[in-house]
Amino acid sequence: MPEHDPPATRFWLADEWAAQLTHVMESMTGEAPSVTYAPYELSPAELDPNQNELIWWEQRFSSGPEAIAWIGAATKSWEEIGNRVLKSAGVDDGDQETIRSTYFEIVNQALSGVAGALSKRARRETSCLEGREAPPSSIDLKSYSFEIFLGELAIPVLTVFSKSIEDLGETPVETSQPTAALPPASTSSGEADQKAHAIDLLLDVELPVSVSFGRAQLALKDVIKLTTGSIIELNRSVSEPVEVIVNNCVIARGEVVVVEGNFGVRIRQVISRQERLRTLT
């Protein structure tokens, strides 16, 4: 961790990234690494898109246009991480592209965990948007040098956070308290028409809806072994309700029904906002 103990909120995002890296690496390799970090000053050369030593992954989050994280790794680092994961899955001769894509999969899984932490901290649903290979936009952003220790081996990785997520304060939990009845505020007809028009625009927004019958966690080596006819045991019994998921968030639970030969779900429970936030973890 940092050499000088900072205030509890100052390095919260770096702490979360370290925790997510540890979790994902352990689940993929079977080894529990230790992860340390320290503040780091980027150089212009490290952000040069024409340099070949570092590859950068830019991850945007749905909480705002400036909510971005960048992960940078030298060739030796991403090859070591990708190879470790592949070897734990029984793949000893992965080509360069396979190793590279495996490394990016580790990064994306850890960043998904960071998105869940952002959701809990801001008490607003946050997800990862489509990422891309791109360096940070400035050397003045908050940067850290991480080291992933696997035994005696130290694997360095650079991480950069935009100010909007680095400085994100923790939103207090809303508590319901009785309030005195207030007279309705007077609103002009023009303001009312504008609000109604804004709501009408939102009603046309399309959101992905899916139904979850259950989940399972498998090691990568077990996933590779899956073939036609393989059975995966889920974490939900046949008597438990299924989950209705909208935009990666559980919003209701219900039972499976058949309607004119098609599967459907009859809603039995619409969950609260607080519980929706818990399902993001």
Side-chain angles (χ1 to χ4, degrees):
M1 307 312 290
E3 295 179 359
H4 303 287
D5 292 335
T9 58
R10 186 179 174 190
F11 292 117
W12 77 271
L13 192 52
D15 286 338
E16 186 62 40
W17 173 242
Q20 294 300 330
L21 269 179
T22 301
H23 172 71
V24 174
M25 289 289 292
E26 182 177 8
S27 65
M28 294 294 245
T29 66
E31 293 183 78
S34 61
V35 180
T36 64
Y37 69 87
Y40 182 81
E41 290 188 11
L42 289 171
S43 67
E46 290 171 319
L47 273 57
D48 184 355
N50 296 317
Q51 58 86 24
N52 297 318
E53 177 57 26
L54 284 170
I55 59 171
W56 286 97
W57 182 258
E58 178 188 271
Q59 181 61 65
R60 294 180 176 270
F61 299 96
S62 62
S63 52
E66 301 302 323
I68 315 172
W70 293 267
I71 312 301
T75 302
K76 186 176 180 180
S77 293
W78 63 260
E79 283 184 343
E80 183 65 38
I81 293 173
N83 269 319
R84 289 249 176 181
V85 173
L86 289 173
K87 286 180 179 178
S88 69
V91 180
D92 294 322
D93 55 351
D95 56 41
Q96 198 77 349
E97 186 56 36
T98 301
I99 296 169
R100 185 186 179 100
S101 62
T102 301
Y103 160 74
F104 280 135
E105 177 62 24
I106 295 292
V107 169
N108 285 321
Q109 286 198 30
L111 286 169
S112 294
V114 170
L118 291 172
S119 298
K120 290 195 295 183
R121 191 172 182 85
R123 303 198 181 279
R124 182 178 61 183
E125 294 153 18
T126 301
S127 59
C128 289
L129 303 178
E130 185 175 356
R132 61 171 184 161
E133 288 188 50
S137 54
S138 169
I139 62 172
D140 298 324
L141 295 167
K142 191 69 176 181
S143 308
Y144 301 91
S145 174
F146 282 75
E147 285 194 319
I148 305 168
F149 288 92
L150 291 166
E152 297 297 322
L153 179 65
I155 306 172
V157 174
L158 298 179
T159 304
V160 181
F161 300 118
S162 64
K163 186 175 178 60
S164 67
I165 57 174
E166 174 77 19
D167 296 340
L168 182 64
E170 191 164 10
T171 303
V173 179
E174 296 179 3
T175 55
S176 58
Q177 296 181 354
T179 57
L182 298 176
S186 59
T187 306
S188 65
S189 59
E191 291 176 344
D193 291 341
Q194 288 180 352
K195 291 180 179 179
H197 180 63
I199 293 175
D200 289 341
L201 291 175
L202 290 175
L203 292 178
D204 291 329
V205 175
E206 295 185 0
L207 296 174
V209 179
S210 58
V211 176
S212 171
F213 287 81
R215 294 179 174 84
Q217 193 171 48
L218 298 176
L220 182 59
K221 60 184 178 182
D222 295 326
V223 175
I224 294 176
K225 295 176 183 177
L226 293 177
T227 60
T228 303
S230 298
I231 296 176
I232 301 175
E233 184 177 352
L234 304 179
N235 64 343
R236 182 177 287 114
S237 68
V238 294
S239 62
E240 291 184 79
V242 297
E243 295 176 336
V244 180
I245 302 172
V246 177
N247 199 29
N248 297 322
C249 178
V250 178
I251 59 101
R253 296 186 177 93
E255 61 182 7
V256 178
V257 296
V258 177
V259 182
E260 297 180 355
N262 295 319
F263 283 114
V265 176
R266 179 181 289 116
I267 302 297
R268 292 297 190 187
Q269 176 194 14
V270 177
I271 67 177
S272 66
R273 179 175 179 272
Q274 287 75 15
E275 190 174 356
R276 287 203 304 273
L277 289 172
R278 286 198 296 270
T279 63
L280 292 170
T281 59

